[in-house]
């Protein structure tokens, strides 16, 4: 059975009496094709989903509500007390409303009332033959009270259930907007609270702070390097192996600074996957700037991300295997496997846990088995083969490492370092500064991903992304210089961890957001939020760790080439 609302001028008010609230057909997705109606044509209304108002990610099929089941009044009361809302779809326009009504008043005596809306007023705006906007109202209706453990007033009890008549009315209003501009009407209306505001001032403030920070780091570092070059280059010129042993600072470790690190395969896998996500993130932002994503279809970005992740797998394979070959790695097959599974394995594990919770709870967010097989097939048939192809090409096209100085066979002993040069301190500094550059924008992104708002300021997002990468690169260079000045040549992994620790700060922020900025609760919401927050932190760690490493490598090659050493 399907609810049909007739076009105006034939029937102004339509009614339906039955045991179900209104509508009765579930649509799998929403399209945006133009639909024209003639006078008297039916306008079909579809059911979509229901869910608790404060848990935007927790949704269920509409028929999980016991409105057509006479023995489940208590369950219906509980749904109303949890502020469950429904979502209908009319001509691709989402319509939201609350399932029932709840009122609490007084202290002694305390009053707790729960009622069910049995009549809905639909207000539909149209222009010519097109529907422009629709919403639902209950302001002229009275809810039917649901007494705990029995029938409500005015309703007939049937074995613990209720016999109710559900009705609706339709009101048509002519709109001056054309169908091409109806998105403006949808943008101006929101059933959910609006938390996203224009935040240009905050972004400008963050940008100014970042520019000052970068300027400070660059100026100070260049002045220090200028003094180092002046001091080192006035010495008597000699070979790389015949320098004055009384010298100190970063010059004295020139025979060790290019010594290859341990766990070479893992390092290269991190760099490869980080390069892949840099490519993916840039592609998503550029596609958004070009207007390729509809603001009302969150799934479009998810689909694009899945597609780009599979297609950019060749980037991870190429970058990882190419650098692995440059630093004399021998097990390139194992390197390709490690690269391919470095992110896909945690992703599959997290998704398995989250999807199992959704399945167990009966949530509509649970992916069906067919979709699971489709995604797995995309990785097996596209993602992994492209990683292998990229790895083979990278191995065959890899050149030399291009170290400015030779590396001695025996490593130099590293002096005892002060506390402020330890790894944990560098990770705290290198992680906090990039995080502070994006902390303002991070709230809006979280409110979009885990809330009901629509993010449209993609130009700001691109600016913030560029700032993030710039801050990470500059901070990494500064921390690497301080490390080398203490005659510690173990910069390889340190450069990855220093700004890669930004992911830890992002996860800590996600915990803060969950507890203080959202109304989320329950097993379903908690499992999904923290599971995907961990993956988000991992992605940021891989991206920033990659940028940090390459910035440090370029810096180190520059300063050692600039020395007068033969």
């Amino acid at each position: 059975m399907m609810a049909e609302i007739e076009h105006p001028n034939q029937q102004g008010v339509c009614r339906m009496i039955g045991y179900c609230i209104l509508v009765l057909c579930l649509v799998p997705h929403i399209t945006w094709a133009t639909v024209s109606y003639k006078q008297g044509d039916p306008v079909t209304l579809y059911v979509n989903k229901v869910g608790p108002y404060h848990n935007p990610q927790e949704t269920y099929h509409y028929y999980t509500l016991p409105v057509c089941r006479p023995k489940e009044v208590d369950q219906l009361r509980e749904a109303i007390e949890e502020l469950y809302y429904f979502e209908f779809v009319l001509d691709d326009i989402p319509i939201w409303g609350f399932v029932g009504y709840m009122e609490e008043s007084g202290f002694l005596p305390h009053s707790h009332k729960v009622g069910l809306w049995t009549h809905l007023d639909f207000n539909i705006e149209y222009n010519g033959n097109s529907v422009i906007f629709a919403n639902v109202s209950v302001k002229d209706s009275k809810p039917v009270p649901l007494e705990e453990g029995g029938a409500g007033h005015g309703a007939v009890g049937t074995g613990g259930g209720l016999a109710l008549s559900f009705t609706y009315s339709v009101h048509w209003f002519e709109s001056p907007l054309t169908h091409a501009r109806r998105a403006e009407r949808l943008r101006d209306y929101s059933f959910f609270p609006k938390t996203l505001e224009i935040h240009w001032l905050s972004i400008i403030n963050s940008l100014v702070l970042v520019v000052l920070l970068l300027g400070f780091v660059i100026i100070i570092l260049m002045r220090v390097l200028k003094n180092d070059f002046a001091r080192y280059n006035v010495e008597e010129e000699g070979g790389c192996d015949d320098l004055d042993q009384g010298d100190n600072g970063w010059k004295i470790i020139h025979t060790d600074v290019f010594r290859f690190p341990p766990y070479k395969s893992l390092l290269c896998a991190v760099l490869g996957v980080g390069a892949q996500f840099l490519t993916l993130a840039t592609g998503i932002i550029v596609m958004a700037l070009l207007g390729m994503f509809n603001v009302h279809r969150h799934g479009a970005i998810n689909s694009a991300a899945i597609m780009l992740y599979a297609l950019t797998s060749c980037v991870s394979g190429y970058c990882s295997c190419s650098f692995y070959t440059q630093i004399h790695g021998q097990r390139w097959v194992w390197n390709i496997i490690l690269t391919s599974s470095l992110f896909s394995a945690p992703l599959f594990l997290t998704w398995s846990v989250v999807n199992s919770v959704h399945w167990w709870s009966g949530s509509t967010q649970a992916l069906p088995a067919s979709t699971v097989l489709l995604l797995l097939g995309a990785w097996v048939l596209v993602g992994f083969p492209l990683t292998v192809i990229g790895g083979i090409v990278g191995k065959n096209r890899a050149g030399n490492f291009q170290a400015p100085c030779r590396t001695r066979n025996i490593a130099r002993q590293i002096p005892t370092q002060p506390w402020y040069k330890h790894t944990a301190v560098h990770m705290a500094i290198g992680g906090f500064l990039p995080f502070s550059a994006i902390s303002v924008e991070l709230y809006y992104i979280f409110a979009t991903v885990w809330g009901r708002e629509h993010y449209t300021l993609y130009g700001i997002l691109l600016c913030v992304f560029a700032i993030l990468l710039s801050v990470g690169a500059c901070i990494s260079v500064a921390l690497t210089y301080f490390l080398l000045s203490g005659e510690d040549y173990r910069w390889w992994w340190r450069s990855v961890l220093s700004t890669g620790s930004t992911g830890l700060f992002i996860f800590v922020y996600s915990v803060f957001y969950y507890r203080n900025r959202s109304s989320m609760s329950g097993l379903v919401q908690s499992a999904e939020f923290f599971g995907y927050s961990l993956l988000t932190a991992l992605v940021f760690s891989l991206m920033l760790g990659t940028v940090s490493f390459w910035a440090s490598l370029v810096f180190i090659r520059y300063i050692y080439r600039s020395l007068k050493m033969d």
Side-chain angles (χ1 to χ4, degrees):
M1 187 169 62
M2 181 180 298
E4 294 181 345
I5 300 173
E6 298 186 4
H7 197 267
N9 302 327
Q10 176 165 331
Q11 184 173 347
V13 178
C14 302
R15 287 187 173 272
M16 179 185 69
I17 300 178
Y19 288 96
C20 295
I21 278 188
L22 190 62
V23 359
L24 317 146
C25 198
L26 184 64
V27 286
H29 63 277
I30 298 176
T31 60
W32 288 88
T34 302
V35 179
S36 297
Y37 300 95
K38 298 179 181 179
Q39 182 175 343
D41 285 351
V43 180
T44 306
L45 180 73
Y46 297 94
V47 160
N48 195 8
K49 59 187 178 181
V50 294
Y53 186 77
H54 293 300
N55 282 10
Q57 302 300 318
E58 185 177 351
T59 57
Y60 302 93
H61 290 293
Y62 182 80
Y63 292 116
T64 57
L65 282 179
V67 292
C68 300
R69 305 168 188 171
K71 296 183 179 180
E72 298 187 27
V73 178
D74 291 337
Q75 183 180 347
L76 186 58
R77 282 178 51 87
E78 183 179 351
I80 296 174
E81 291 173 340
E82 292 290 334
L83 297 182
Y84 266 55
Y85 67 94
F86 60 80
E87 179 180 288
F88 298 157
V89 177
L90 187 147
D91 195 26
D92 297 343
I93 299 174
I95 302 175
W96 299 285
F98 285 107
V99 173
Y101 166 83
M102 182 179 69
E103 176 184 343
E104 294 198 41
S105 61
F107 179 69
L108 286 176
H110 175 69
S111 173
H112 178 76
K113 299 178 181 179
V114 176
L116 176 68
W117 297 115
T118 58
H119 180 84
L120 300 178
D121 289 320
F122 287 90
N123 304 305
I124 304 178
E125 300 177 11
Y126 68 97
N127 184 316
N129 296 328
S130 300
V131 173
I132 304 302
F133 179 73
N135 67 358
V136 67
S137 173
V138 292
K139 65 178 181 180
D140 296 328
S141 305
K142 291 185 178 180
V144 174
L146 299 181
E147 301 296 340
E148 190 169 0
H153 296 298
V156 180
T158 56
L162 299 178
L164 299 173
S165 295
F166 291 90
T167 60
Y168 69 92
S169 59
V170 183
H171 307 279
W172 296 89
F173 304 93
E174 190 168 3
S175 173
L177 293 178
T178 62
H179 185 275
R181 296 180 55 196
R182 75 173 187 171
E184 301 176 12
R185 184 70 175 88
L186 295 174
R187 184 184 63 237
D188 295 337
Y189 171 81
S190 178
F191 171 73
F192 304 105
K194 291 187 176 182
T195 57
L196 292 186
E197 300 175 354
I198 300 300
H199 51 288
W200 286 100
L201 183 61
S202 299
I203 295 302
I204 293 175
N205 180 57
S206 178
L207 181 61
V208 170
L209 292 177
V210 168
V211 170
L212 292 176
L213 173 64
L214 295 181
F216 176 79
V217 171
I218 292 173
I219 292 174
I220 296 299
L221 195 57
M222 292 306 296
R223 288 182 61 88
V224 172
L225 281 176
K226 183 178 180 180
N227 294 333
D228 287 347
F229 287 142
R231 176 166 57 92
Y232 289 150
N233 290 333
V234 295
E235 299 175 352
E236 183 179 355
E237 292 186 11
C240 257
D241 298 331
D242 300 322
L243 292 174
D244 183 8
Q245 295 298 317
D247 201 1
N248 56 25
W250 53 268
K251 180 180 180 180
I252 198 173
I253 59 172
H254 67 281
T255 58
D256 295 280
V257 73
F258 295 105
R259 188 180 304 280
F260 297 144
Y263 310 108
K264 292 187 290 187
S265 184
L266 178 59
L267 174 65
C268 295
V270 169
L271 300 179
V273 178
Q276 177 186 4
F277 277 110
L278 286 171
T279 306
L280 190 154
T282 304
I284 290 293
I285 296 176
V286 171
M287 292 172 66
L289 285 173
L290 295 177
M292 299 179 66
F293 301 130
N294 192 302
V295 69
H296 297 287
R297 297 183 64 184
H298 289 288
I301 295 183
N302 297 337
S303 301
I306 294 173
M307 179 187 67
L308 286 180
Y309 175 74
L311 296 179
T312 56
S313 296
C314 57
V315 175
S316 63
Y318 179 88
C319 295
S320 177
C321 207
S322 176
F323 193 70
Y324 184 67
T325 304
Q326 290 182 31
I327 61 177
H328 303 164
Q330 302 296 325
R331 304 173 61 188
W332 65 274
V333 175
W334 164 248
N335 175 252
I336 292 177
I337 296 175
L338 181 61
T339 302
S340 181
S341 59
L342 184 63
F343 179 77
S344 59
L347 173 63
F348 179 77
L349 178 62
T350 302
W351 173 84
S352 299
V353 174
V354 173
N355 210 52
S356 297
V357 172
H358 282 304
W359 270 335
W360 180 76
S361 303
S363 172
T364 57
Q365 299 293 330
L367 295 181
S370 58
T371 305
V372 176
L373 294 177
L374 180 63
L375 295 176
L376 183 61
W379 182 81
V380 173
L381 300 177
V382 180
F384 183 73
L386 287 179
T387 306
V388 175
I389 294 174
I392 295 175
V393 174
K395 175 180 179 297
N396 294 332
R397 299 188 61 180
N400 298 324
F401 180 67
Q402 299 179 352
C405 297
R406 296 190 303 269
T407 301
R408 287 179 174 176
N409 294 329
I410 301 177
R412 179 186 297 271
Q413 184 176 1
I414 300 174
T416 302
Q417 301 295 314
W419 65 269
Y420 53 84
K421 290 188 177 182
H422 287 176
T423 304
V425 177
H426 279 200
M427 290 178 64
I429 297 174
F432 175 76
L433 292 178
F435 170 77
S436 64
I438 64 171
S439 58
V440 174
E441 201 67 14
L442 205 58
Y443 165 77
Y444 296 100
I445 295 175
F446 269 67
T448 300
V449 175
W450 300 109
R452 304 180 178 92
E453 299 298 336
H454 302 293
Y455 193 98
T456 57
L457 302 178
Y458 298 113
I460 291 182
L461 186 61
L462 179 61
C463 180
V464 171
F465 186 64
I467 290 174
L468 174 65
L469 300 185
S470 301
V471 171
C474 290
I475 295 302
S476 173
V477 169
L479 293 178
T480 298
Y481 172 79
F482 294 141
L483 182 70
L484 299 181
S485 64
E487 302 178 14
D488 189 345
Y489 51 82
R490 299 170 298 182
W491 63 272
W492 300 75
W493 277 108
R494 181 72 70 87
S495 65
V496 174
L497 295 175
S498 59
T499 54
S501 60
T502 304
L504 297 177
F505 285 87
I506 291 176
F507 182 75
V508 172
Y509 176 81
S510 69
V511 176
F512 168 80
Y513 180 87
Y514 182 87
R515 291 174 56 88
N516 300 281
R517 294 290 184 267
S518 74
S519 301
M520 295 181 283
S521 62
L523 178 62
V524 173
Q525 189 68 9
S526 300
E528 183 169 10
F529 180 85
F530 288 110
Y532 291 126
S533 293
L534 280 172
L535 289 179
T536 302
L538 176 60
V539 169
F540 273 89
S541 295
L542 292 172
M543 287 196 303
L544 292 176
T546 299
V547 172
S548 175
F549 175 84
W550 288 111
S552 296
L553 178 59
V554 170
F555 169 74
I556 291 174
R557 282 175 172 168
Y558 166 75
I559 63 174
Y560 282 99
R561 283 198 184 104
S562 300
L563 289 177
K564 294 180 180 180
M565 295 186 301
D566 298 328

